[in-house]
Amino acid sequence: MDVTRQTKRNLRLQRYLFTLLLLAAVGLLGWLSTQYRIQTDWTYGARNSLSADSERLLAELEGPLTITAFVRDQGPLRDQVRELVGRYERVKPDIQVEFVNPDRAPERVRELGVSMEGELRIAYQGRSERVQEHTEQALSNAILRVARQGERWIGFLTGHGERDPHGQANHDLGHFGAELERKGLKVQSLNLAETRAVPDNLSVLVIASPQLDLLPGEVRLVREYLEAGGNLLWLADPGETGGMASVAEYLGVEFLPGVIVDASTQLFGIESPDVVLVTAYTPHPVTRELRAMTLFPHAQALQLNTTGDWDVEPLLSSMENTWTELGTLEGRIGFDAGSDERAGPLDLAHAFTRSLDAGSEAGEGRTTGQRVAVIGDGDFLSNSFLGNVANLDLGLNLIDWLSHDDSFIAIRPRAAPDQSLELGRTAQAVIGFGFLFVLPALLVLAGLIVWLRRRKR
């Protein structure tokens, strides 16, 4: 091709035009980057993003949330806090974040009682919480606490050998009570002999495996509490109804004799035959978000008789390969078809609901919902078994549902996935030898080859 003056001019114009368009494209991209923000998380398990539970918690919030971080201007702590809070800002853009240097605002630090650098203060609709741990779980739990409207009192009946919500013995519920308090719930022990009535401000009454029978007057108070619309969680171990047969009759529930035996547990290495696994759940607000099985040691089965005005749903059921064992749990045991033993699947828990007229005397015509859960086992929430599979999630879901906090059910911020890399000695030796000797030797060899080829030209 002949290169004429016209051709050179055209090529020069093309280069100018290309440069101009390239600069315009770069400028446009720069402007777009200031107007729009796109972030993607490609890490394993999306560790740099909020869990679905935290996102759902933020979606439940109406109005802005304020996060005040007391951290100095420089240092890795500020970056750590900014990165954590940034995850929440991406989901809820109206979060108001303020960084306060404690050195420049000592009066504000004293006024708010800030005790350490890095402390976060979460404020929402006039309520506030403090967070000193920089994890999604801690921050989401704090948001959950400030999001609850009003106080939720959970009363645990005492005085008859019940499981203690603050006790540390294996059979007590101390860990479960601590989890409830971390969620912003108020846990109190309740002795009806002292109070002579169930407090009106109680959100849920918990009767956890009484070892001795309640006095007739106490049973009457429980009945009156139910008749008035109170919410109840009743954990009943085999053979221990706590003298509340009339309460069971009022609910229309019957405890079947014997202990549920689950033959499938041996497949999971559980030697005790009276440990029941629940692997599938019926559709219910308490169990809809459970993705793992739950474990119930030494449980009894329930049977419904007359439901009255209650709407009853089976909450937990054992698998088919189960039965109610009436004999001793020693030696070789099996289902005896000719006896009173019942074959599975068996119901371990029932959920009761009904609507009651409230304020009818005042002519208001208002109705309230009442909720009751009866479970044939109290061990699954004990200190010994609370950490097994999804037992804790089930317990927290039960309390949230019973206290009518449906929107908070199953908000469990996930823990960060495993971020450590463990290598064996062989792998460490191969990597170390490769980077220290093999890779440098290959680079030197490549250089020599190139040098020799150039000399031969």
Side-chain angles (χ1 to χ4, degrees), residues 220-362:
R220 177 178 53 80
L221 292 177
V222 174
R223 281 283 303 265
E224 291 177 356
Y225 170 75
L226 285 175
E227 291 169 356
N231 304 309
L232 172 68
L233 173 60
W234 185 5
L235 308 178
D237 286 331
E240 299 170 357
T241 60
M244 297 194 300
S246 65
V247 176
E249 182 181 359
Y250 181 69
L251 295 172
V253 65
E254 177 185 355
F255 299 99
L256 297 180
V259 177
I260 301 178
V261 170
D262 191 339
S264 62
T265 56
Q266 294 183 353
L267 300 175
F268 301 94
I270 301 175
E271 297 181 356
S272 180
D274 61 341
V275 175
V276 182
L277 291 176
V278 176
T279 59
Y281 304 97
T282 56
H284 192 275
V286 173
T287 56
R288 68 187 176 198
E289 298 294 338
L290 289 182
R291 296 293 181 265
M293 57 185 176
T294 44
L295 181 148
F296 299 86
H298 204 66
Q300 62 180 336
L302 310 182
Q303 174 179 283
L304 282 177
N305 292 327
T306 57
T307 60
D309 54 351
W310 294 97
D311 295 326
V312 187
E313 297 178 74
L315 198 58
L316 302 166
S317 300
S318 65
M319 291 184 283
E320 290 188 357
N321 198 18
T322 57
W323 69 92
T324 58
E325 178 61 45
L326 299 180
T328 58
L329 300 177
E330 297 178 352
R332 188 176 181 83
I333 59 175
F335 175 64
D336 188 355
S339 69
D340 292 334
E341 293 180 349
R342 302 286 185 88
L346 302 161
D347 290 341
L348 284 82
H350 289 151
F352 301 77
T353 57
R354 67 175 176 180
S355 298
L356 293 176
D357 293 333
S360 57
E361 295 180 358

Side-chain angles (χ1 to χ4, degrees), residues 12 29 58 68 126 132 166 261 279:
R12 192 178 300 113
L29 290 175
L58 295 177
T68 306
Q132 297 180 342
H166 301 100
V261 170
T279 59

Side-chain angles (χ1 to χ4, degrees), residues 114-154:
V114 177
S115 58
M116 60 175 289
E117 184 188 7
E119 187 169 298
L120 306 179
R121 182 179 176 84
I122 316 301
Y124 176 70
Q125 295 186 350
R127 300 179 291 275
S128 63
E129 280 285 339
R130 292 187 298 176
V131 182
Q132 297 180 342
E133 185 180 354
H134 301 148
T135 62
E136 179 190 344
Q137 186 169 6
L139 185 53
S140 291
N141 279 330
I143 295 174
L144 179 60
R145 290 194 292 271
V146 298
R148 292 185 188 277
Q149 295 184 358
E151 294 183 337
R152 298 285 190 275
W153 285 94
I154 312 298

Side-chain angles (χ1 to χ4, degrees), residues 44-66:
Y44 175 76
R47 70 184 61 174
N48 293 321
S49 302
L50 287 183
S51 66
D53 292 339
S54 294
E55 292 182 359
R56 194 157 61 87
L57 168 62
L58 295 177
E60 295 291 339
L61 301 180
E62 298 179 357
L65 179 77
T66 302

